[in-house]
Amino acid sequence: MISSIPRLSRAELPVTTVELARWLIGKTLVHGSADGLTSGRIVETEAYVEGDASSHAFRGPTQRNRSMFLRHGHAYVYFIYGSWYALNISAEAVGVGAGVLFRALEPLEGVALMQERRRTSSLVDLCRGPGRLATAMAIDRQLDGLDMCGDGPLWLGGPVSVVGPIGESVRIGISKEAHRVLRFFERGSPFVSGPKRLLSQVTDEGNKQPV
């Protein structure tokens, strides 16, 4: 159960939340679980910066969110709406509560296993949205706090193909600080989640809006 995708070191990760969220587009997420290896190309992320009222870390560290305050590169996994998990990565220095949410992947390895877990044959919808992503990749609270730059079963890998233009928009499904342009995605990818109307709000490096 070995992936040929090279692991990324912590030294390669940006140490600011917004930079990390953008930088992760085109990189790879890999999970070697007991029933097989799965991986996907990261095509959509959202940044949750320090002091962000929509962030789980806004009111300080708790038992639930403690992983957001770890050194950048650690998994923060939470259960939401009583139905699914979501995966984030801590994004700043120790003690700073900030993270990046993995919103969508383009499936690479272990597609049949992902389809079995998700009970669907649709490739496009396998990891399109944070709940589907976590289910397809078998990510749950047991992985919370794991070092994604270490030798563990859940890790970040390098890019496997050229990254297309990166779009930016407001985040999805939040009510606080919803105006902030902190969602990043590979433009034109069919694996990206979210409503089509957001495409009309997209910015790029040549036309950035303040966050």
Side-chain angles (χ1 to χ4, degrees):
M1 190 172 64
I2 300 174
S3 174
S4 61
I5 300 169
R7 293 182 183 240
L8 295 174
S9 68
R10 195 181 324 279
E12 296 176 81
L13 273 62
V15 196
T16 62
T17 310
V18 177
E19 289 181 29
L20 178 61
R22 173 183 282 276
W23 181 86
L24 283 170
I25 302 300
K27 306 305 187 294
T28 312
L29 180 67
V30 185
H31 184 203
S33 65
D35 53 352
L37 184 140
T38 51
S39 69
R41 187 169 169 271
I42 302 164
V43 296
E44 183 183 2
T45 62
E46 285 183 346
Y48 288 84
V49 300
E50 184 182 18
D52 185 343
S54 65
S55 171
H56 289 180
F58 182 62
R59 299 188 184 280
T62 66
Q63 185 61 33
R64 181 198 191 202
N65 69 18
R66 61 180 178 78
S67 297
M68 290 189 78
F69 294 83
L70 296 174
R71 186 182 184 190
H72 67 296
H74 288 76
Y76 167 49
V77 183
Y78 62 88
F79 195 57
I80 189 168
Y81 303 135
S83 57
W84 45 266
Y85 294 95
L87 172 67
N88 301 252
I89 185 170
S90 58
E92 305 261 351
V94 175
V96 178
V100 175
L101 171 67
F102 293 88
R103 280 204 59 90
L105 303 176
E106 175 185 343
L108 294 175
E109 300 168 294
V111 170
L113 180 56
M114 291 189 207
Q115 290 173 325
E116 180 182 345
R117 289 169 177 164
R118 288 266 295 105
R119 299 181 182 179
T120 179
S121 60
S122 172
L123 183 65
V124 170
D125 289 329
L126 271 185
C127 305
R128 191 169 173 264
R132 293 172 176 176
L133 183 161
T135 301
M137 297 286 286
I139 292 168
D140 59 24
R141 282 284 291 177
Q142 294 183 54
L143 297 171
D144 181 56
L146 185 141
D147 186 353
M148 296 176 67
C149 298
D151 297 326
L154 180 68
W155 47 276
L156 293 172
V160 297
S161 60
V162 176
V163 183
I166 297 175
E168 304 177 356
S169 80
V170 297
R171 293 171 293 185
I172 297 171
I174 60 172
S175 57
K176 297 178 180 178
E177 303 200 34
H179 67 286
R180 304 181 76 170
V181 180
L182 292 171
R183 173 176 171 256
F184 303 90
F185 57 94
E186 185 174 45
R187 299 184 71 166
S189 171
F191 301 96
V192 170
S193 70
K196 299 294 184 183
R197 63 177 173 76
L198 284 181
L199 295 178
S200 64
Q201 303 174 20
V202 167
T203 63
D204 56 34
E205 288 197 50
N207 183 29
K208 287 189 176 180
Q209 297 179 14
V211 299

